[in-house]
Amino acid sequence: MKALATAPLARAGLIARFRGALIISVAALALGACNANGPGPMAKGMKQLSPETVALIESKGMSKDSPVVVRIFKEESELEVWKQKTDGDYALLKTYPICRWSGELGPKVKEGDRQAPEGFYTITQGQMNPNSNYYLAFNMGFPNAYDRAWGRTGANLMVHGDCSSSGCYAMTDEQIQEIFALGRESFMGGQRAFQVQAYPFRMTPKNMARHRDNPNMAFWRMIKEGYDTFEITKRPPRVDVCGKRYVFNAETSQRFDASAACPPYSVPEDLEAELAKKKAEDDRAMAMLSPITPVEPAKTGKDGGMNEVFLAKLRDPKLNAPGSLPPVVKPPGLDYGVATNAPADIPLPGVEQPTPTAAESVALASADVPLPMARPADAPRPSAETLLAGATPVQNSAPVQVASAGGDESWLSSTVTRLLGRTSSDSIVQSSPAVNAANAASSGFSLRRLFGGDEPAPAPAPAPVALTEPASATPGDAAPARNRAAARPAAKPASAAAKPPVRPAAPATASTSPAASLPVGSAGANGAEPVASVNLGTPSSGSTLSGAGIVQPGSFQQ
């Protein structure tokens, strides 16, 4: 009798389970996605989490079936999965790069605008689609109560796989496999629904300042309160809609109506104080950043975004990415798709070109620039007085090499003579080589006599040439070359040209020849400190020295 009594109950339970399974199957088949049906219903949706993910969950003090929260950031192209820890707070489990999203920053308004939703959405078990043609998907539930209050239209807005979007957030198949499994496990652990928070960007003061002129700023300031609540408490905010706006953490005994005025409600005092403090700090920071932060355009025309890791892989398929890509992907900013099995031969938006190193910068700066021709060995060289005379620099001259002290001694002897036997006021007048020799003789000093050499017979002194520049000119004057007349000595024999005269230190002038100097800030040889772009120049026959910085020779200070 007992067996007969329990038989109808067993049959009733079996029928109920069959009916439940049938309802779930029908619901899965009815969900489009981003809404089409594919073979193998339920198979992909029941795949288990990998051992590595389970180990990561346990290492963070979570359980495999603990509740989850999903946060989406459009501009950064990132999706975060947070899980509840044993203490009740939520912690970040993983950040998933988003493979593709469409539209612009801002909420979805109407069907066909290609906008991906922004705001707060609730995902129930019935919105999970294990049979999507985009591998796996869950419906975000657009339009929610807020969207409906504003008359916004659209349907089947998903988070799914296949890296293709038309108003959805598209991941790779491998990514959505794990995200789907994390949601499924949370339902099996007792979570009735999980929250999706979809933001235009990470709502920091800097990002708010960058987008301060965007027409969606009022909407973003409203949902920032929910963002701040999660940042402060590490728990998902309670979300309601009344008066056609979101309200967060509200406590009331009355019912909220999205289109009606908000009933009286309160917010926990400690949380309300923390939110007010954070809002005041962020507003001050935004006010300070706004004058120095460029404004981002509200419309980019790129039709959404793609995380940098996937853009890099399109450029170089050998690079690793979190999951496989379909054969063809349409990157943001392009009107056509690119093959994913070969390097893209087009500039892709968002991919920055590598910054050249210091050595590469030098090579680029000097590329295809001819070096100056070598100076003929028999070319005449100017005297020491010409080297010291102020002159207009000659452009595109080669660097000068300073000779050793064993070269032409006329400049050195006259310099020593000035130091030992003449005053600085006498040195204002520029003299010829013969005058310098006479001055050296009158001082009783001679290099040849000092080192035991024979004194050569002095050469007859040519008539001095008067200077057109006044004697009272200061070393800092830079008169044009046509207003100066320097004494030019006769050309020396070729044998004397082998030893250039000693060049005193002179203020360096910037070079206009890229081949003659390194760029400013480029590294020196063997990792030395960066060197500035300097060109002292090389004198040519019958011209003054390029880069000479001493207008009047001999003005040494004791």
Side-chain angles (χ1 to χ4, degrees):
M1 293 292 294
K2 185 176 181 179
L4 293 175
T6 57
L9 295 177
R11 286 195 299 271
L14 183 62
I15 293 172
R17 286 195 295 271
F18 177 77
R19 184 184 296 115
L22 181 62
I23 291 173
I24 293 175
S25 300
V26 170
L29 293 173
L31 281 172
C34 336
N35 185 36
N37 300 327
M42 306 297 292
K44 296 174 291 185
M46 295 307 295
K47 189 172 182 180
Q48 297 299 306
L49 293 168
S50 68
E52 294 78 12
T53 301
V54 174
L56 178 64
I57 291 172
E58 294 173 351
S59 69
K60 292 180 178 256
M62 310 164 181
S63 62
K64 186 174 71 170
D65 58 359
S66 63
V68 299
V69 171
V70 173
R71 300 206 304 175
I72 295 173
F73 302 97
K74 274 186 180 178
E75 189 173 48
E76 293 83 359
S77 295
E78 291 180 344
L79 182 150
E80 295 177 346
V81 173
W82 293 64
K83 281 184 71 68
Q84 191 177 46
K85 300 187 297 182
T86 55
D87 61 0
D89 290 344
Y90 283 71
L92 178 63
L93 175 65
K94 274 190 177 183
T95 298
Y96 299 86
I98 296 177
C99 194
R100 194 70 171 90
W101 58 272
S102 61
E104 301 280 354
L105 298 184
K108 184 174 184 62
V109 176
K110 61 182 179 180
E111 180 77 32
D113 62 4
R114 296 187 59 81
Q115 287 291 107
E118 291 177 10
F120 292 80
Y121 296 89
T122 301
I123 314 303
T124 64
Q125 189 170 359
Q127 293 167 237
M128 307 289 285
N129 183 7
N131 195 39
S132 170
N133 259 5
Y134 295 82
Y135 197 71
L136 291 169
F138 63 82
N139 193 318
M140 291 186 65
F142 181 92
N144 62 11
Y146 175 86
D147 301 319
R148 290 192 299 271
W150 284 96
R152 294 175 177 174
T153 59
N156 300 323
L157 282 306
M158 305 277 173
V159 176
H160 60 66
D162 201 43
C163 192
S164 176
S165 173
S166 178
C168 299
Y169 293 102
M171 319 299 292
T172 62
D173 292 351
E174 292 82 355
Q175 288 176 310
I176 193 61
Q177 177 77 72
E178 185 167 271
I179 296 168
F180 192 96
L182 289 168
R184 182 198 66 221
E185 293 296 328
S186 73
F187 291 134
M188 294 179 69
Q191 186 176 22
R192 298 181 62 182
F194 66 84
Q195 189 178 87
V196 172
Q197 306 171 10
Y199 300 107
F201 40 73
R202 297 188 183 276
M203 308 197 83
T204 62
K206 182 177 180 181
N207 284 338
M208 297 292 282
R210 290 172 53 236
H211 296 280
R212 60 187 178 273
D213 290 347
N214 194 291
N216 296 297
M217 180 52 67
F219 172 76
W220 293 339
R221 284 184 177 274
M222 176 179 60
I223 65 175
K224 187 178 183 298
E225 184 177 343
Y227 175 93
D228 291 344
T229 298
F230 190 80
E231 290 290 310
I232 293 171
T233 66
K234 294 299 183 287
R235 300 190 180 194
R238 176 178 174 177
V239 182
D240 291 290
V241 181
C242 60
K244 301 176 71 172
R245 64 185 179 90
Y246 285 108
V247 293
F248 301 96
N249 315 301
E251 296 177 348
T252 183
S253 59
Q254 302 185 37
R255 179 177 175 270
F256 287 102
D257 188 319
S259 299
C262 294
Y265 67 88
S266 62
V267 177
E269 291 184 2
D270 55 345
L271 177 58
E272 188 175 28
E274 287 291 329
L275 288 171
K277 178 182 177 182
K278 188 175 191 315
K279 182 180 184 301
E281 292 174 350
D282 288 354
D283 286 347
R284 283 195 299 269
M286 182 178 173
M288 294 177 62
L289 290 168
S290 293
I292 59 175
T293 303
V295 177
E296 296 290 335
K299 300 289 185 181
T300 65
K302 295 181 179 180
D303 188 28
M306 173 182 281
N307 191 278
E308 295 290 339
V309 68
F310 297 112
L311 288 169
K313 186 171 178 61
L314 290 180
R315 184 175 291 278
D316 184 1
K318 295 180 181 179
L319 297 178
N320 293 326
S324 56
L325 297 177
V328 177
V329 169
K330 180 180 174 294
L334 297 182
D335 296 330
Y336 52 89
V338 298
T340 58
N341 60 353
D345 57 354
I346 53 174
L348 297 175
V351 177
E352 297 181 359
Q353 298 298 325
T355 303
T357 63
E360 291 171 339
S361 297
V362 173
L364 289 172
S366 59
D368 299 326
V369 177
L371 295 175
M373 296 181 63
R375 189 172 185 272
D378 59 347
R381 294 181 180 271
S383 66
E385 284 74 20
T386 304
L387 291 177
L388 291 176
T392 303
V394 178
Q395 302 294 330
N396 297 329
S397 57
V400 68
Q401 294 185 353
V402 179
S404 64
D408 185 357
E409 65 183 40
S410 61
W411 177 84
L412 181 58
S413 62
S414 62
T415 300
V416 176
T417 300
R418 291 188 184 94
L419 289 174
L420 297 178
R422 297 186 62 186
T423 63
S424 59
S425 61
D426 297 332
S427 63
I428 297 178
V429 180
Q430 184 177 11
S431 55
S432 65
V435 175
N436 287 337
N439 290 338
S442 65
S443 66
F445 178 84
S446 171
L447 289 179
R448 292 185 182 273
R449 185 181 303 162
L450 179 64
F451 293 98
D454 295 329
E455 285 291 330
V465 180
L467 293 175
T468 60
E469 195 171 47
S472 60
T474 59
D477 292 338
R482 64 177 179 270
N483 293 332
R484 300 192 186 106
R488 303 181 185 274
K492 296 181 181 181
S495 60
K499 296 181 178 180
V502 177
R503 168 69 185 270
T509 57
S511 171
T512 59
S513 172
S517 60
L518 293 176
V520 175
S522 60
N526 301 324
E529 291 294 328
V531 295
S533 178
V534 176
N535 186 7
L536 297 179
T538 298
S540 59
S541 176
S543 63
T544 54
L545 177 65
S546 170
I550 303 176
V551 177
Q552 290 132 0
S555 55
F556 297 93
Q557 299 296 327
Q558 294 292 336

